[in-house]
């Protein structure tokens, strides 16, 4: 298991997507997976706060379908909580 922790404010219970279990699960998973140092992946920079993944990988890790993950990511992108750059075989969130 990865060492470390994230800070999560109690005020998150007032967030507009808190009661949507799929979106909240994907958001929390993104927080836990985000890099805490800059790095590289296949020659491309992956900055602190970003991580490399794919839709099938996210679906498996969160026990959701690919469509549910895609919808949750769309919700998070629509309110500016995440950015998402898709490449042919992976994406950087």
């Amino acid at each position: 298991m990865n060492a470390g922790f994230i800070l999560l404010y109690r005020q998150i219970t007032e967030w507009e997507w808190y009661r949507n279990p799929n979106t909240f699960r994907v958001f929390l998973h993104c927080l836990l997976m985000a890099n805490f140092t800059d790095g590289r992946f296949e020659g491309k920079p992956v900055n602190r706060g970003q991580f490399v993944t794919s839709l099938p990988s996210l679906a498996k890790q969160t026990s959701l379908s690919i469509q549910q993950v895609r919808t949750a990511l769309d919700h998070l992108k629509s309110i500016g909580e995440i950015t998402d750059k898709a490449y042919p075989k992976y994406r950087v969130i």
Side-chain angles (χ1 to χ4, degrees), residues 2-69:
N2 292 335
F5 62 93
I6 60 169
L7 290 175
L8 192 60
Y9 291 98
R10 293 178 194 271
Q11 190 175 16
I12 198 162
T13 59
E14 298 170 19
W15 182 50
E16 64 183 298
W17 292 108
Y18 177 75
R19 287 180 178 74
N20 182 304
N22 295 344
T23 301
F24 186 71
R25 179 181 293 199
V26 170
F27 179 66
L28 188 57
H29 186 74
C30 289
L31 290 176
L32 293 169
M33 297 302 294
N35 291 340
F36 55 89
T37 59
D38 292 341
R40 296 185 72 73
F41 180 79
E42 294 188 359
K44 293 178 177 58
V46 181
N47 299 323
R48 180 178 183 210
Q50 296 179 318
F51 68 103
V52 177
T53 191
S54 65
L55 289 176
S57 176
L58 279 175
K60 183 177 181 181
Q61 292 167 349
T62 58
S63 300
L64 299 172
S65 71
I66 291 175
Q67 184 58 49
Q68 289 171 318
V69 169

Side-chain angles (χ1 to χ4, degrees), residues 17 67 69-79 82 84:
W17 292 108
Q67 184 58 49
V69 169
R70 186 180 290 121
T71 300
L73 290 174
D74 287 343
H75 290 162
L76 296 171
K77 286 188 285 188
S78 73
I79 59 172
I82 64 166
D84 182 19

